[in-house]
Amino acid sequence: MSSNADKNTDKNAAPPLPEPLRVPVADSHTHLDMQSGTVAEGLAKAASVGVATVVQVGCDIKGSRWAAETAATYDNVHATVALHPNEAPRIVHGDPDGWSRQGEREPGGAGALDEALAEIDRLAALAHVKGVGETGLDYFRTGPEGKEAQERSFRAHIEIAKRHGKALVIHDRDAHADVLRVLKEEGAPERTVFHCYSGDAEMAGICARAGYYMSFAGNVTFKNAQHLRDALAVAPQELVLVETDAPFLTPAPYRGRPNAPYLIPVTVRAMAAVRGVEEDTLASALAVNTARAFGY
Ligand SMILES: [Zn+2]
Ligand SMILES: [Zn+2]
């Protein structure tokens, strides 16, 4: 037995629908394949509160194929394809305790990584695939032994994005300096997005000068994330995006509960408050920016 009140305070319950946005925006980074319910349900729920478009992000071969298929099925879904920075070392070395949901895997060596990258290259050519990512560097989950494979994979993804003229979606966890260095060494694609932007205001200045998009997730609302709000406050309006990274990073006051694209309005409102602008003004910019970043 549980009353509605219990449901709303249940740590595992889906947060309630927020008030709809008056100006529709896009969730620039989500993982529908890791969320409960069907894709059609998730998209309908999002659309009902003004989240009209989502970018579905691939993290491995299977997920990237799925993203491309889903984008081909739904007009308001765009796909990106990649091997996640924690996936690349696992393909080379094997790592049963790692990030992958695929469980134990035999190490495949460098040849296996090349094969996987060739498949990403093939998928990146598809019309519904608008970006290459999430790729980048993650020093939080990948230790020193995986660094070499991770960086090689990152460089290969940059090359693929440039060759196909697609956006590059960066995952940067505890690796700001090296991510910026590799981008500079390789030459960043014309459209580069730092997903779940995690730098401070100083790095936001570097990104702004380079023309990199900064996509803010629900963690911008967290109490301990003043550095993100400081970064958001100084980021040029034309380079700011919003995302859920759902099912992760549910915005306050629902932190810890399952995230989904329909919760974007919660983050948009918090972002508008940080920047001291009207919600509609920010939403209009976010919509235009996401379309420009991904070229749809
Ligand atoms: Zn990520
Ligand atoms: Zn992600």
Side-chain angles (χ1 to χ4, degrees):
M1 281 270 297
S2 76
S3 69
N4 273 341
D6 287 339
K7 248 185 210 157
N8 281 334
T9 50
D10 180 346
K11 269 190 12 231
N12 299 315
L17 273 178
E19 180 138 337
L21 294 168
R22 287 176 296 267
V23 177
V25 303
D27 180 348
S28 85
H29 186 115
T30 196
H31 301 281
L32 294 168
D33 49 338
M34 304 180 196
Q35 295 161 32
S36 64
T38 67
V39 169
E41 285 163 0
L43 294 175
K45 209 170 166 184
S48 77
V49 293
V51 183
T53 307
V54 307
V55 178
Q56 167 64 27
V57 175
C59 292
D60 55 20
I61 293 293
K62 196 170 151 235
S64 294
R65 285 181 184 144
W66 189 87
E69 279 163 25
T70 305
T73 307
Y74 297 93
D75 283 345
N76 55 341
V77 177
H78 305 288
T80 73
V81 297
L83 310 174
H84 191 280
N86 294 322
E87 175 72 3
R90 198 165 303 117
I91 290 171
V92 176
H93 303 290
D95 175 12
D97 302 321
W99 174 89
S100 172
R101 290 157 290 118
Q102 297 177 1
E104 207 153 332
R105 179 187 294 151
E106 293 295 314
L113 180 56
D114 288 336
E115 250 172 64
L117 287 166
E119 176 64 2
I120 295 301
D121 189 0
R122 191 190 70 77
L123 291 168
L126 300 173
H128 297 100
V129 173
K130 302 297 184 191
V132 174
E134 54 188 292
T135 180
L137 302 173
D138 185 324
Y139 296 165
F140 180 78
R141 292 215 185 273
T142 295
E145 72 291 340
K147 261 190 175 182
E148 196 189 318
Q150 193 171 79
E151 188 169 319
R152 186 158 80 80
S153 176
F154 182 25
R155 289 182 190 275
H157 282 83
I158 295 171
E159 190 273 325
I160 291 169
K162 286 200 287 193
R163 187 156 34 79
H164 292 287
K166 304 285 167 107
L168 182 73
V169 177
I170 303 278
H171 169 104
D172 160 23
R173 191 149 185 204
D174 296 350
H176 306 321
D178 282 353
V179 166
L180 291 169
R181 174 182 56 80
V182 172
L183 278 174
K184 206 169 176 185
E185 286 170 4
E186 293 292 323
E190 214 166 290
R191 292 168 287 128
T192 296
V193 178
F194 275 72
H195 118 76
C196 188
Y197 179 81
S198 59
D200 58 10
E202 193 192 338
M203 179 165 154
I206 297 172
C207 289
R209 283 189 291 281
Y212 301 154
Y213 290 90
M214 290 162 265
S215 181
F216 289 84
N219 55 343
V220 75
T221 67
F222 294 176
K223 227 185 207 143
N224 63 354
Q226 188 56 45
H227 69 292
L228 296 183
R229 289 184 286 277
D230 293 344
L232 173 59
V234 300
Q237 180 172 273
E238 66 274 15
L239 293 178
V240 174
L241 307 183
V242 66
E243 67 172 73
T244 56
D245 200 17
F248 314 108
L249 298 173
T250 315
Y254 308 115
R255 190 173 178 178
R257 287 163 68 171
N259 200 6
Y262 78 90
L263 290 171
I264 279 282
V266 178
T267 305
V268 169
R269 285 180 185 124
M271 289 169 67
V274 167
R275 291 179 67 84
V277 296
E278 292 295 324
E279 174 187 318
D280 291 0
T281 308
L282 180 62
S284 306
L286 293 168
V288 170
N289 293 350
T290 315
R292 188 187 334 107
F294 289 96
Y296 61 76

